Amino acid sequence: MSVPASVASVFRGRVLATAGTCWLLVVGIAAVGAPLLAPFDPLEFDPFVRLSEPGWPHLLGTDHFGRDSLSRAIYGARMAILIGSGSVLIALVAGGLIGMLSAYFVRLGHFLMRVVDVLMAFPALLLALVLMTLLDRSVLNTIIVIGIVYATTTARILFGMTLKLKRDVFVDAAICSGAGHASILFRHILPNLVSPMLVQASFIFAFAQLQAAALDFLGLGLPPEVPSWGNMLSEERVYVTRAPWLLIFPGALIILSVFSMNLVGDALRDNIDPRFKDDIAGV
Amino acid sequence: MLVYALNRTLTLVPTLLAASFLVFMFIHLIPGDPASILLGDAATPEEVAELSRELGLDEPLWTQYALWLANVLQGDLGTSVFFREPVLSVIASGAETSILLATMTMLWIVLFGVPIGIVSAIRQGSWVDQATSGGAMLFASVPTFWLGLYLILIFSVGLGWFPSSGFPSLADEGGASNLRYLVLPSLTLAAPNAALIIRLIRASMLDVSREDHVRTARAKGLHPARVAIKHIFRNALIAVSAAFGFTFAALVSEAVVTETVFSLPGIGRLVVQSILRRDYPVIQGVILIIVVFYMVINLLVDLAYASLDPRVSLK
């Protein structure tokens, strides 16, 4: 099946998932075009318009420093995409390698999967908090920490999937034709894992947004001056009674994006190899 | 079953040791001398030297770990830099709030999650199912602190039905009526978790409903409601009961955010405040206790699971 046709088959009859994809495209465009789209500098203070209501020229109002909320929200899309894709990348590469190698080389697996077990004994948010205690607040560290947290679950899922694939006939065929370990793992097994990994990626992307927002809220995520949706909520929460709109917009942006990503993940999951369907929990 | 239980319990020991070693290493990963980190900025050089000797800091790492573990097993988790009290009693003071919060949260999850999940599975594909499945996913996509803030805004500030923050102990004035302080926090914490349970109940009921014994029950002409409850739900519950256990274990740490929003004096808020205060002995102690609690609950879940479903222990 050609790529456009397979994409079409995922979204056929799924109004919500299609709407979700459109929303994610909007977020992506906002992230790429932030300097062009944002009407104001997201970091510029303007003490004369503190906590102004939505209107002209500040369409979504201003925060308690007089910074333009719409501009901060647009730049926040950058952070959302950056944190989402960064954590997905770390989780899939690290978790994928650990899971696949552990399933393929049984002895190594005994050791590596025990390490994963130990890390999974720490509840996700707690692990993230502990790691953030050891590191400084920065965008990169937030991405690394969230990536590590989800690398553990990814490793366990891909471990199970690789075990199933390893027993398949095509692997025997590859061995008989003289293929080396690297070739079997990456040219024969990996292509079968791409679509379940894509599903896993979309769920990690969604969860990463919530984790990052929670870390921002606790004061242990991105540095406070960085315009992210989580920081917008965290900084303005004391004004919730005076300026409730300041929390509605960033909150709605997070919810819409996470919801959309979950919908996309759900739609993708229904289209993967039925053997793997139960392995990926998602929401 | 007994063999399985013993095996499962024994496999816990190495994981527990490894996890405790990681928790022990936590202090050593922070830049600086462990003794001065544990004592805080106000300590005199004499105190630091004294603690260094007690911890065996000039001994090899393994000896230090053994010393630390021996202390931990005797209930000595060190002294809080901030409170100047034993870490264990600091943590114990937050236990009441955390356990009551987790219990009340589980109550909402069972009360809302179970019936909605059942209806959603029975009416698979109907608008009820689509609405509840979509709604569940939407709730799982909401940041908990955001939900908490708006619950406060509506039900505390607006309607004045529930207090917005704090939690006096049940032993204090007010007694059991103090539980009203936990209504909004527990609902906040329940929302995303109930969403997971709804989807899980739906999925496992649909799995069971495809099995032969269900077809037989239907063929016998049993009432559909009876088939749904006695034949499908009761079997689906086995898988779901495991999820209840995991959820309860995870709640104690997930409560970090909720307890912060509602200023509850629980263990979760203690973690965050200790991190911000750099009270490392408390951070270390809380992590250790949460991890042990999490693992023990998971063990109990596995054992309960095996006793409910004999197929598990035979594998």
Side-chain angles (χ1 to χ4, degrees):
Chain A
M1 202 164 25
S2 71
V3 175
S6 64
V7 170
S9 80
V10 170
F11 292 105
R12 186 166 302 133
R14 288 177 169 271
V15 184
L16 273 177
T18 314
T21 314
C22 294
W23 169 253
L24 292 171
L25 278 176
V26 171
V27 175
I29 292 170
V32 175
L36 295 172
L37 294 168
F40 292 89
D41 179 349
L43 301 175
E44 194 183 69
F45 293 180
D46 186 350
F48 298 108
V49 290
R50 293 178 69 239
L51 300 175
S52 64
E53 282 185 36
W56 189 260
H58 299 284
L59 293 178
L60 295 186
T62 55
D63 66 9
H64 72 286
F65 286 123
R67 294 176 297 196
D68 181 54
S69 288
L70 178 63
S71 305
R72 287 181 74 72
I74 292 175
Y75 273 88
R78 280 194 162 180
M79 282 301 132
I81 302 269
L82 196 63
I83 287 181
S85 31
S87 338
V88 164
L89 192 72
I90 293 177
L92 285 192
V93 172
L97 272 178
I98 295 173
M100 284 176 67
L101 292 175
S102 299
Y104 191 77
F105 300 107
V106 179
R107 280 210 182 149
L108 181 73
H110 274 304
F111 171 72
L112 280 182
M113 289 318 284
R114 288 300 82 74
V115 175
V116 170
D117 281 347
V118 171
L119 284 178
M120 285 187 82
F122 294 79
L125 186 58
L126 191 71
L127 184 59
L129 283 179
V130 172
L131 292 174
M132 282 314 287
T133 317
L134 300 173
L135 301 166
D136 294 325
R137 287 179 75 173
S138 76
V139 179
L140 182 66
N141 286 342
T142 309
I143 293 176
I144 293 175
V145 163
I146 297 176
I148 292 177
V149 169
Y150 291 110
T152 56
T153 41
T154 308
R156 192 174 276 179
I157 292 171
L158 287 177
F159 174 74
M161 292 181 179
T162 312
L163 273 187
K164 284 180 192 168
L165 287 173
K166 210 176 112 180
R167 287 190 287 264
D168 227 318
V169 194
F170 73 89
V171 174
D172 291 336
I175 296 171
C176 290
S177 65
H181 292 314
S183 160
I184 294 177
L185 265 174
F186 298 107
R187 289 190 45 199
H188 295 272
I189 292 183
L190 185 62
N192 288 285
L193 293 173
V194 169
S195 58
M197 277 169 110
L198 212 59
V199 179
Q200 175 72 358
S202 49
F203 289 130
I204 295 175
F205 193 99
F207 286 137
Q209 305 300 324
L210 291 178
Q211 292 279 5
L215 287 176
D216 286 349
F217 176 79
L218 296 172
L220 294 162
L222 303 173
E225 69 278 5
V226 173
S228 74
W229 299 336
N231 272 345
M232 289 174 77
L233 288 176
S234 159
E235 291 202 325
E236 305 306 319
R237 70 174 195 266
V238 278
Y239 303 101
V240 65
T241 42
R242 269 176 69 192
W245 62 88
L246 280 178
L247 284 112
I248 288 181
F249 294 120
L253 290 174
I254 295 178
I255 296 170
L256 264 178
S257 307
V258 175
F259 188 48
S260 301
M261 212 63 214
N262 278 329
L263 287 168
V264 171
D266 237 27
L268 290 173
R269 177 167 52 185
D270 287 344
N271 282 275
I272 59 171
D273 189 334
R275 279 184 296 178
F276 299 143
K277 220 170 230 177
D278 293 334
D279 293 326
I280 304 177
V283 183
Chain B
M1 175 64 205
L2 193 66
V3 178
Y4 172 80
L6 274 174
N7 265 332
R8 179 64 185 78
T9 314
L10 283 179
T11 55
L12 192 70
V13 177
T15 320
L16 207 54
L17 280 176
S20 70
F21 184 70
L22 279 189
V23 177
F24 158 77
M25 280 305 292
F26 169 71
I27 293 290
H28 291 260
L29 289 172
I30 299 163
D33 168 47
S36 26
I37 289 169
L38 287 170
L39 287 170
D41 298 333
T44 63
E46 291 75 30
E47 285 173 327
V48 174
E50 164 75 18
L51 187 68
S52 296
R53 203 178 44 74
E54 254 177 59
L55 296 174
L57 286 184
D58 38 7
E59 307 275 338
L61 208 53
W62 288 111
T63 322
Q64 291 181 39
Y65 172 63
L67 277 171
W68 176 80
L69 194 63
N71 281 335
V72 166
L73 291 175
Q74 290 167 35
D76 177 10
L77 294 173
T79 309
S80 159
V81 177
F82 182 81
F83 295 102
R84 304 262 156 214
E85 262 181 67
V87 169
L88 199 61
S89 66
V90 172
I91 297 175
S93 65
E96 184 196 356
T97 311
S98 287
I99 291 174
L100 283 175
L101 177 63
T103 313
M104 208 189 234
T105 306
M106 285 310 287
L107 195 74
W108 298 132
I109 295 176
V110 174
L111 220 58
F112 291 118
V114 172
I116 295 177
I118 295 179
V119 170
S120 187
I122 295 176
R123 299 258 173 269
Q124 188 202 356
S126 70
W127 68 267
V128 181
D129 176 33
Q130 287 182 0
T132 49
S133 296
M137 196 191 265
L138 186 63
F139 267 108
S141 308
V142 178
T144 44
F145 61 89
W146 189 85
L147 182 64
L149 285 170
Y150 276 94
L151 286 181
I152 293 178
L153 200 61
I154 297 169
F155 293 102
S156 304
V157 181
L159 298 167
W161 288 359
F162 298 104
S164 63
S165 67
F167 172 64
S169 162
L170 291 186
D172 290 352
E173 197 186 328
S177 72
N178 286 343
L179 284 176
R180 70 183 190 282
Y181 282 86
L182 295 180
V183 172
L184 294 182
S186 57
L187 283 172
T188 306
L189 199 49
N193 290 297
L196 295 178
I197 294 282
I198 289 174
R199 290 176 69 86
L200 195 68
I201 291 184
R202 179 180 180 274
S204 21
M205 279 185 68
L206 290 180
D207 273 350
V208 176
S209 66
R210 281 188 280 271
E211 281 181 23
D212 290 344
H213 75 268
V214 175
R215 199 182 49 193
T216 312
R218 288 202 178 115
K220 282 196 301 188
L222 282 186
H223 192 271
R226 200 179 155 84
V227 177
I229 299 302
K230 283 202 76 171
H231 295 258
I232 301 176
F233 177 67
R234 278 182 62 173
N235 280 301
L237 202 56
I238 296 174
V240 178
S241 67
F244 279 127
F246 298 136
T247 309
F248 185 78
L251 281 184
V252 174
S253 70
E254 269 181 42
V256 169
V257 175
T258 312
E259 286 178 10
T260 308
V261 175
F262 290 92
S263 311
L264 299 179
I267 292 174
R269 185 153 163 262
L270 182 66
V271 178
V272 178
Q273 291 191 322
S274 303
I275 291 175
L276 297 175
R277 287 173 191 144
R278 310 204 165 272
D279 193 347
Y280 293 111
V282 175
I283 305 174
Q284 194 183 33
V286 176
I287 302 166
L288 185 70
I289 289 193
I290 291 185
V291 169
V292 172
F293 176 77
Y294 192 66
M295 288 170 88
V296 169
I297 295 269
N298 280 348
L299 169 74
L300 294 177
V301 167
D302 274 3
L303 295 183
Y305 194 57
S307 70
L308 283 173
D309 187 348
R311 284 171 297 185
V312 174
S313 53
L314 291 176
K315 261 187 201 166

